[in-house]
Amino acid sequence: MYFHTQEAIKAIILLLFSGFIFMLHHTGEIIKFINPQYTAFSQIASVIFLFLFFIQVPRIFISKEQAEDHDYCTILGCNHEVGSARKVPLKSVLIYSIVLFPLVTGFLLPYKDLGAAEAVKRGICYTPNEQHLHHSEELVTSNKVFHEMMESPVLILNNLNFSVYVNNILTYPEFFDGKPLVLEGFILVGDDHPFLARFLVTHCVADAHVTGLLLSSDDNNLRNANDWVKVYGLVDTIENNGQVLPIIQVKEWKQIDQPKIPYVYP
Amino acid sequence: MIRRIEQNLAEITGFIILASVFYLVVVNERWTVKTIVLPESLLAFNTIFLSILIEAVPFVLIGVFIAGLIQVFVTEEHIKKLIPKNRIMAVGMSCMLGALFPACECGIVPIVRKLVYKGVPIFAGVGFLLTGPLINPIVIASTYMAFGQDIRIALLRMGLGLLIAIVIAAIISLLFKGNQLKKSASLLELDQSTYRFPLLLRIRAMFIHSVDEFFDVAKYLIIGAMLAAFVQTYVSTNTLIGMGEGIIYSTAIMMGLAYLLSLCSEADAFIGASFRHVFPETSLLGFLIYGPMLDLKNTIMMLAVFKLRFVVFLMIIITLSVFGVLMFVHPWI
């Protein structure tokens, strides 16, 4: 019986990956990394890692017969370096430390939610994704969410409808003039007006980008970047470089703690 | 002592698993380093780095499984029969096949490596590598959604992407002979046919190859994710955008951004769309087409598989082709 150190290291790494992803799901911290809609993928990955671990474990040991029989080389790969089985060459040490790196930082370091500092780096966009110069009724009637928004007396924005609602308000600001709405987000300080922002996460936080609406308020306390606030206000419009932009006339606001799920999803 | 450990290894590993699961369930809280205060940006870097990895890992695992499958079950004779003798036909077929095959840019590298190793000509492999992540139903759907339910950009992305991929594969077929793979010890041993072994053993061999393949790919994936996360944390996109105006500048900037950010092709349309108010559509197409074909993360992974010279040439050819074709069609967009 021979013991293969390298194969053992591989087995442990596979188990750690499985355990790491399992732990993220178990503690719910997975939402700090990916859109909850896609969690099934990483759950499957966790199970596959565990499965690969069980595939890997028997490779840690080779019996004497196997070590001498070269017949299986072609299919299982050669494992005959029995003389050096216990030694791990420097190059492999480097490789395994690279693979272990995310596990070490993942297990030990605290995770950070993206905030105002990252938002400024990534650029902010106040304008709609689509520019309809002629807001024909036809186009508007085909939009289901738009109808839903027009019919509800107060727009209450949550994690799931935030980006759709904000996008509609940005695209058709004049239709929502005077509409009351309630929304939460963190403050970014722009040139004239503060900006109420959320990070929109499509897949994972690496593709997060900022979405949100401008705020109009006399209260200077509403200008502290990175503060989380809940705002009640009315939709209004302003002109900026010949473009009509929606802006929220703040009626009431209060400071809140950062919500459990800081991101919004499309 | 070591002998005793060896004899009871199954029990010991079982115990480790049980203990770790028990720990996770009972403690339900991570022990984190709180004594050392790390800068916020470093923690943001770590979070982005891990999120890129967590997002990519399921697709890489699918990739290594398919690679393992090809390794054990596909023979050179199969490939010879399937690939058309005619070069032009082979280029077209590989690009179409890639278009039908849903994969992401990190999962496809190990698959292409195995295919080329099994005798697929290098230009066909490249065609497959380029269209696989770029053209597939998920990418079409997400592009359509991101650009405000406008099918135009999605169609342009697919159409131009396919055209550019064919151009690149054709250029590669003229310039490069041989398989351009790095010499790797583990691959060279496996030249013989595996058909004389029983099926169960072959299935086991497939999984073992998947494990080895995973470790081969993982280190490059991790380095790539680290670089991409670094760029995302420390480089401000605003400074990139402010660098210049005009169609040539803006396209070059968007392509550079696509390269550095290394986003998954299924999600990059949303980022591309957020630049809609800054840049013309041609530049956005540069972002959408160039990103899935080539980025920081998959450059590192390709370096692991192909010879350095080939990767450098491929990068130059991809960059020039995407840029050239976009500049050529710009008046009509």
Side-chain angles (χ1 to χ4, degrees), chain B residues 177-208:
Chain B
K177 307 268 176 311
N179 68 11
Q180 302 297 329
L181 290 177
K182 256 189 178 171
K183 286 196 182 68
S184 156
S186 64
L187 281 173
L188 289 174
E189 292 160 5
L190 299 155
D191 273 334
Q192 293 160 38
S193 161
T194 55
Y195 273 80
R196 60 201 171 93
F197 295 102
L199 183 69
L200 217 63
L201 187 66
R202 276 158 63 197
I203 290 172
R204 201 179 136 222
M206 177 196 130
F207 288 128
I208 287 178

Side-chain angles (χ1 to χ4, degrees), chain A residues 166-261:
Chain A
V166 165
N167 221 350
N168 266 323
I169 294 171
L170 286 167
T171 318
Y172 316 105
E174 55 268 46
F175 285 87
F176 294 101
D177 212 343
K179 193 94 179 168
L181 86 173
V182 181
L183 73 173
E184 294 173 358
F186 60 90
I187 296 291
L188 287 175
V189 187
D191 303 332
D192 312 318
H193 300 284
F195 186 76
L196 187 109
R198 289 298 279 267
F199 269 109
L200 174 65
V201 173
T202 313
H203 249 191
C204 68
V205 297
D207 61 47
H209 62 283
V210 175
T211 178
L213 293 165
L214 289 169
L215 298 177
S216 161
S217 168
D218 301 330
D219 197 342
N220 271 331
N221 291 326
L222 201 55
R223 285 176 170 273
N224 298 329
N226 223 1
D227 271 1
W228 277 85
V229 291
K230 184 172 186 151
V231 167
Y232 169 79
L234 303 175
V235 180
D236 195 4
T237 55
I238 50 162
E239 281 258 330
N240 186 9
N241 298 331
Q243 204 176 19
V244 180
L245 288 179
I247 188 162
I248 308 300
Q249 293 288 352
V250 179
K251 295 288 168 210
E252 281 171 44
W253 69 276
K254 65 172 181 198
Q255 202 158 348
I256 53 167
D257 289 333
Q258 179 180 323
K260 237 184 167 169
I261 303 171

Side-chain angles (χ1 to χ4, degrees), chain B residues 122 126 130 168-169 171-172 174-176 180 290 294 299 302-303 306-321:
Chain B
I122 185 69
V126 167
L130 296 178
I168 294 165
I171 295 171
I172 293 289
L174 295 176
L175 289 182
F176 287 95
Q180 302 297 329
Y290 191 63
L294 196 67
T299 304
M302 283 202 292
L303 281 173
F306 298 111
K307 289 175 188 153
L308 175 69
R309 189 172 153 266
F310 176 73
V311 176
V312 170
F313 269 99
L314 185 63
M315 286 172 70
I316 294 169
I317 292 166
I318 292 175
T319 310
L320 291 181
S321 309

